[in-house]
Amino acid sequence: MHAAARTIGGVAVGSVGLGAMPLSVEGRPDEDQAMATIHAALDAGVRLIDTADSYHWHAGEVGHNERLIARALAAYGRGSEEVLVATKGGRGRPGDGSWTVNGDPRHLRRAAEASAARLGVEAIGLYQLHKPDPAVPFADSVGALRDLADAGTIRMAGLSNVDREQIGIAQEILGPYLVSVQNRFSPAHQSTRDTLDLCTELGLAFLPWSPLGGISLSAVDDPGTGAPTPDSPFHALARARGVSPQQVCLAWHLARSPVVVPIPGARRPASIRDSAAAAGLTLSAEEVAGLCL
């Protein structure tokens, strides 16, 4: 089962994206290493970079990750125009490690305009509602994305951390503007499998965040709990194939559905080079079956 090139809303993005959050949150590398990591991703063929205005560490740093990506793309030069930058709005970080949610349509419209300015684009390629706000009717938040698309501030819209019912509501409001769903999904977190199945049925791109859960810790995991096991079927197959467990895990994602585009995080160039190589790892049907937990 070879991973064919993937698309989001008709835009070619390759098979594996880059989750850029670790480059700006707690434990982030210095800017030189962060820039080198983004450039290594582009050199490896990555054409999807996932970010959000809330990907920062300290208070007063809103948009840190977006600004970093804009600088990296500008420095990379030729070929950077082929990259789809997917950003998100609707969450905040006060600077104490916590996360907030704000799905007010007025906030989302302002946030998208600010994100476009930080990214240096007239229209954001893919803009995603970061998380439904329980204090705001979901349809109202999604309606703000429709307004942004109609106004030309964003080209495509997506959802994150949503269920099947919310996907259906958003599809009615957004129509063809809705192109993607970004939910947590990994060997260790498969409770959103029903949303992956729905995206496959509808032809929406499914972007699993923290896709290596159970294989590697991510930027959202507590390093003191839930340490990955070194003796899973993924590790056994990796040893047999002479590749990393992370590559096997990403190839497993790609084999599940043609709409899947995993977005593993990375803090080092070597990490994203290894992840991107999963696009060339062919798993047999028997191997895939052996990894189904």
Side-chain angles (χ1 to χ4, degrees):
M1 294 186 179
H2 190 272
R6 307 292 161 106
T7 61
I8 299 177
V11 178
V13 295
S15 301
V16 177
L18 169 65
M21 184 177 78
L23 301 176
S24 289
V25 297
E26 292 86 337
R28 68 193 182 201
D30 62 38
E31 181 154 327
D32 286 346
Q33 182 173 318
M35 296 274 279
T37 300
I38 296 171
H39 288 172
L42 301 180
D43 288 343
V46 170
R47 289 299 179 266
L48 170 67
I49 300 178
D50 180 78
T51 182
D53 60 0
S54 56
Y55 289 170
H56 60 88
W57 186 347
H58 307 291
E61 288 187 327
V62 173
H64 181 281
N65 200 239
E66 293 172 325
R67 286 189 290 269
L68 172 67
I69 290 167
R71 290 194 295 273
L73 292 177
Y76 192 78
R78 191 175 69 179
S80 62
E81 69 279 357
E82 300 173 358
V83 177
L84 176 62
V85 177
T87 192
K88 296 181 288 293
R91 301 209 74 179
R93 301 203 76 199
D96 60 1
S98 66
W99 294 80
T100 59
V101 183
N102 186 349
D104 184 282
R106 294 165 295 183
H107 168 75
L108 292 172
R109 287 189 285 266
R110 290 192 299 267
E113 291 166 357
S115 289
R118 286 189 290 265
L119 291 170
V121 296
E122 292 185 5
I124 296 170
L126 173 58
Y127 192 70
Q128 305 157 97
L129 177 65
H130 204 153
K131 186 177 184 179
D133 183 347
V136 177
F138 181 70
D140 290 355
S141 298
V142 175
L145 269 60
R146 177 64 192 239
D147 292 343
L148 288 164
D150 288 340
T153 307
I154 69 175
R155 292 195 175 94
M156 300 182 290
L159 310 169
S160 187
N161 301 299
V162 291
D163 59 28
R164 286 176 64 100
E165 180 181 0
Q166 290 165 332
I167 294 171
I169 293 170
Q171 191 174 40
E172 289 183 7
I173 296 170
L174 292 166
Y177 289 126
L178 179 63
V179 299
S180 66
V181 171
Q182 184 178 144
N183 281 347
R184 189 172 198 178
F185 188 82
S186 70
H189 298 87
Q190 298 190 45
S191 61
T192 58
R193 186 181 309 186
D194 61 335
T195 59
L196 166 56
D197 293 341
L198 180 59
C199 287
T200 301
E201 177 186 333
L202 298 176
L204 300 175
F206 186 83
L207 316 179
W209 63 266
S210 194
L212 301 176
I215 307 300
S216 299
L217 289 174
S218 79
V220 299
D221 290 318
D222 179 353
T225 61
T229 174
D231 57 358
S232 74
F234 292 86
H235 291 79
L237 180 56
R239 288 190 292 270
R241 296 293 300 272
V243 298
S244 70
Q246 290 81 5
Q247 278 191 43
V248 173
C249 182
L250 294 172
W252 170 80
H253 277 285
L254 294 169
R256 298 189 69 87
S257 169
V259 303
V260 172
V261 185
I263 45 174
R267 289 188 175 93
R268 301 177 298 113
S271 297
I272 190 57
R273 290 191 195 103
D274 182 71
S275 291
L281 179 60
T282 302
L283 299 181
S284 69
E286 292 76 15
E287 287 171 329
V288 173
L291 295 173
C292 290
L293 306 179

